[in-house]
Amino acid sequence: MLDPRLLRAFVAIADAGSFTAAADRLHMTQSTMSQQIARLEDAIGRALVDRAARPVRLTVTGERLLGHARRILALQDEALTLVAETSGTTSVRIGMPDDIATPEMARAFAAFTRRHKEARLDVTTGLRSDLARRYRSGELDIVVLKEDAPGEDSLASFEEPIAWFAAPGAAGSLPDPVPLVTFPPGGLYRDAMFERLERERRRWYIAFTSASLRNVLMAVEAGLGLSLLPVDATKGWRIEPLAGFADEPPVFASLYSWEQSGFVGELADEVLDILKRHFARI
């Protein structure tokens, strides 16, 4: 192993052309400089410096070593700079439904990381059951949950209207059995769909399942079946409210955060502001 301190002394002598000038450059005595070069030569087993020359010259072995010594020192400096860099070293873990992960939310996340270079945002989108489990187990710092009723420890909750939707032309009458487009088990709307159809004493079957809200909307638009969906999420899609079904009670979008101060608290406040604006437009 070549000691970087010895290599630095060797490079300094090569650049300065004398032991004295190199010692001044590295803020050490000339005798210390000589000792370091001697130790490096002992480690390599050959002379590196022609001490009799004026100015001091490198031997053939020294010339061969010089380029490698510079690269070794450059890599060491790069490594030290890298480990001293704090960017992206503090993780803030966030969970939310697909329809809450809007472009406005992404812009807020970007602005937050510009203010706090050390922050790394780990964002998970998914179903309520999984997000709730991960938050309660401490795997997420901030979470937005769609739920039937807000929890007592929620920071804020917002009502969100939901309704049944089908493709254009399919919303007037229902086939028997009714084809359903659903989220996988654990999705908030899935069980509500089953319960409603059971109350109506209608036969039904699952025609399409996806954990992606976009895929569910595409399936409904394509005519694969009907689904219970957030009204706001259907804007821009060629689907229509289902005639003959009474209004469903709203769900709640609730914000939870383990901390109300520091990085996590600051970001939770920003998420809250976005939720306020989002649900004010609904």
Side-chain angles (χ1 to χ4, degrees), residues 208-280:
F208 182 92
T209 298
S210 176
S212 164
L213 174 62
R214 178 180 175 83
N215 288 345
V216 167
L217 288 164
M218 286 194 296
V220 174
E221 185 178 77
L224 280 167
L226 59 138
S227 190
L228 181 60
L229 295 165
V231 173
D232 185 65
T234 65
K235 293 178 181 177
W237 292 87
R238 293 183 62 254
I239 60 179
E240 297 176 352
L242 191 65
F245 265 40
D247 292 340
E248 291 283 343
V251 296
F252 292 86
S254 304
L255 173 65
Y256 296 85
S257 175
W258 285 113
E259 300 178 27
Q260 280 77 58
S261 60
F263 279 165
V264 174
E266 180 181 341
L267 188 56
D269 287 341
E270 297 206 12
V271 172
L272 176 57
D273 289 341
I274 293 172
L275 292 177
K276 289 177 180 177
R277 291 194 294 272
H278 175 78
F279 287 101

Side-chain angles (χ1 to χ4, degrees), residues 152-168:
E152 293 182 357
D153 58 336
S154 65
L155 299 182
S157 290
F158 304 88
E159 282 193 5
E160 181 172 36
I162 59 175
W164 290 81
F165 288 88

Side-chain angles (χ1 to χ4, degrees), residues 128-139:
R128 174 198 57 167
S129 58
D130 183 58
L131 294 178
R133 176 190 61 78
R134 295 183 63 185
Y135 176 74
R136 295 303 176 189
S137 66
E139 296 178 39

Side-chain angles (χ1 to χ4, degrees), residues 70-230:
R70 292 190 193 280
R71 289 200 294 275
I72 291 171
L73 293 174
L75 285 171
Q76 184 194 40
D77 291 341
E78 181 180 342
L80 291 174
T81 300
L82 180 64
V83 298
E85 174 59 57
T86 60
S87 297
T89 56
T90 302
S91 174
V92 182
R93 303 158 302 173
I94 308 157
M96 57 182 57
D98 276 349
D99 57 321
I100 298 299
T102 60
E104 184 181 8
M105 191 73 73
R107 289 191 292 271
F109 290 162
F112 181 84
T113 57
R114 285 194 294 269
R115 292 195 308 273
H116 302 288
K117 296 293 186 182
E118 61 272 44
R120 184 186 78 246
L121 304 186
D122 298 325
V123 181
T124 299
T125 59
L127 301 178
R128 174 198 57 167
S129 58
D130 183 58
L131 294 178
R133 176 190 61 78
R134 295 183 63 185
Y135 176 74
R136 295 303 176 189
S137 66
E139 296 178 39
L140 297 172
D141 301 302
I142 300 170
V143 71
V144 179
L145 299 177
K146 298 288 188 72
E147 48 194 358
D148 295 319
E152 293 182 357
D153 58 336
S154 65
L155 299 182
S157 290
F158 304 88
E159 282 193 5
E160 181 172 36
I162 59 175
W164 290 81
F165 288 88
S173 61
L174 294 180
D176 184 23
V178 178
L180 298 180
V181 175
T182 75
F183 293 100
L188 175 62
Y189 313 116
R190 179 185 173 101
D191 291 342
M193 293 168 66
F194 300 164
E195 291 170 6
R196 174 63 183 271
L197 291 173
E198 292 292 341
R199 289 199 309 271
E200 300 268 340
R201 296 191 176 184
R202 296 180 184 269
R203 297 191 304 158
W204 55 269
Y205 68 98
I206 297 175
F208 182 92
T209 298
S210 176
S212 164
L213 174 62
R214 178 180 175 83
N215 288 345
V216 167
L217 288 164
M218 286 194 296
V220 174
E221 185 178 77
L224 280 167
L226 59 138
S227 190
L228 181 60
L229 295 165

Side-chain angles (χ1 to χ4, degrees), residues 10 13 17-19 30-42 46-59:
F10 170 68
I13 289 175
S18 78
F19 280 79
Q30 184 174 342
S31 62
T32 301
M33 177 68 68
S34 297
Q35 291 171 9
Q36 291 195 346
I37 296 303
R39 287 173 58 195
L40 184 59
E41 290 175 329
D42 287 343
R46 294 187 180 181
L48 300 173
V49 177
D50 183 356
R51 292 166 173 77
R54 292 293 183 272
V56 169
R57 293 197 304 267
L58 301 183
T59 65

